[in-house]
Amino acid sequence: MTVQTIIDRKGNDVATAGPQNTVAEIVKMLADRRIGAIVITGADRRIVGIVSERDVVRVLAQRGPACLEDPVSLIMSRGVVDCSPSEKVNDVMRKMTEGRFRHVPVTVDGKLVGIVSIGDVVKHRMMDLESEASAMRDYIVMG
Ligand code: AMP
């Protein structure tokens, strides 16, 4: 199963913000959209970073509420690991495990076309396992 299958189901919508948006604005976006991460894009809509609820919690613990007025560029992760729509979901799962993150933006020629979260990956893995189990049951009953 490829990343495209996930994009087909959930669509191309990705929550993005600019590097100058404040941490407070990011917190509001995360809460309003009930999501765990926001992709930070530059002027040409290319990915320049990613910020997740973990980054916000870390900086709040370190600096207290004063950090809410900072631009998100101060707390975002750079060097974002992305994937392509043709990549296997299992390979994306490996990237998440090795990089210890739960979000992977999907890009084509450097342009953002979607995002895969660990929840999407687990859901598709379960659907895979269920269809394998049902094929196995059919095989046993028929045999
Ligand atoms: P998460 O598990 O997605 O909440 O993210 C954990 C940490 O990894 C945070 O510091 C994020 O900014 C960072 N992060 C999340 N996704 C990625 C990614 N695809 N590439 C690089 N860093 C990431």
Side-chain angles (χ1 to χ4, degrees), residues 79-92:
V80 177
V81 175
D82 62 356
C83 69
S84 74
S86 60
E87 224 163 300
K88 290 213 171 68
V89 174
N90 278 352
D91 291 333
V92 175

Side-chain angles (χ1 to χ4, degrees), residues 36-38 49-56 58 75-83 95-96 99-105 115-116 118:
I38 291 172
I50 188 164
V51 63
S52 88
E53 51 203 357
R54 260 193 207 169
D55 300 310
V56 177
R58 192 192 59 240
I75 70 159
M76 70 187 187
S77 300
R78 294 162 196 271
V80 177
V81 175
D82 62 356
C83 69
K95 282 182 176 176
M96 287 179 173
R100 292 169 177 263
F101 44 68
R102 298 165 294 178
H103 300 88
V104 177
I115 189 162
V116 174
I118 200 157

Side-chain angles (χ1 to χ4, degrees), residues 17-136:
Q20 295 312 317
N21 278 106
T22 63
V23 175
E25 286 164 343
I26 297 294
V27 167
K28 180 139 179 40
M29 279 181 82
L30 289 169
D32 286 350
R33 301 187 62 152
R34 296 166 185 261
I35 53 173
I38 291 172
V39 178
I40 309 301
T41 52
D44 52 1
R45 296 278 299 159
R46 296 209 168 234
I47 299 174
V48 295
I50 188 164
V51 63
S52 88
E53 51 203 357
R54 260 193 207 169
D55 300 310
V56 177
V57 169
R58 192 192 59 240
V59 73
L60 268 174
Q62 285 168 351
R63 307 211 318 101
C67 71
L68 291 170
E69 298 316 313
D70 287 344
V72 68
S73 56
L74 290 187
I75 70 159
M76 70 187 187
S77 300
R78 294 162 196 271
V80 177
V81 175
D82 62 356
C83 69
S84 74
S86 60
E87 224 163 300
K88 290 213 171 68
V89 174
N90 278 352
D91 291 333
V92 175
M93 210 188 310
R94 190 167 309 116
K95 282 182 176 176
M96 287 179 173
T97 310
E98 284 169 2
R100 292 169 177 263
F101 44 68
R102 298 165 294 178
H103 300 88
V104 177
V106 186
T107 59
V108 173
D109 298 329
K111 296 271 190 287
L112 196 54
V113 297
I115 189 162
V116 174
S117 75
I118 200 157
D120 301 323
V121 168
V122 169
K123 188 172 182 174
H124 279 76
R125 188 75 195 115
M126 285 185 63
M127 281 161 58
D128 256 3
L129 290 174
E130 273 159 23
S131 68
E132 269 172 33
S134 131
M136 196 76 84

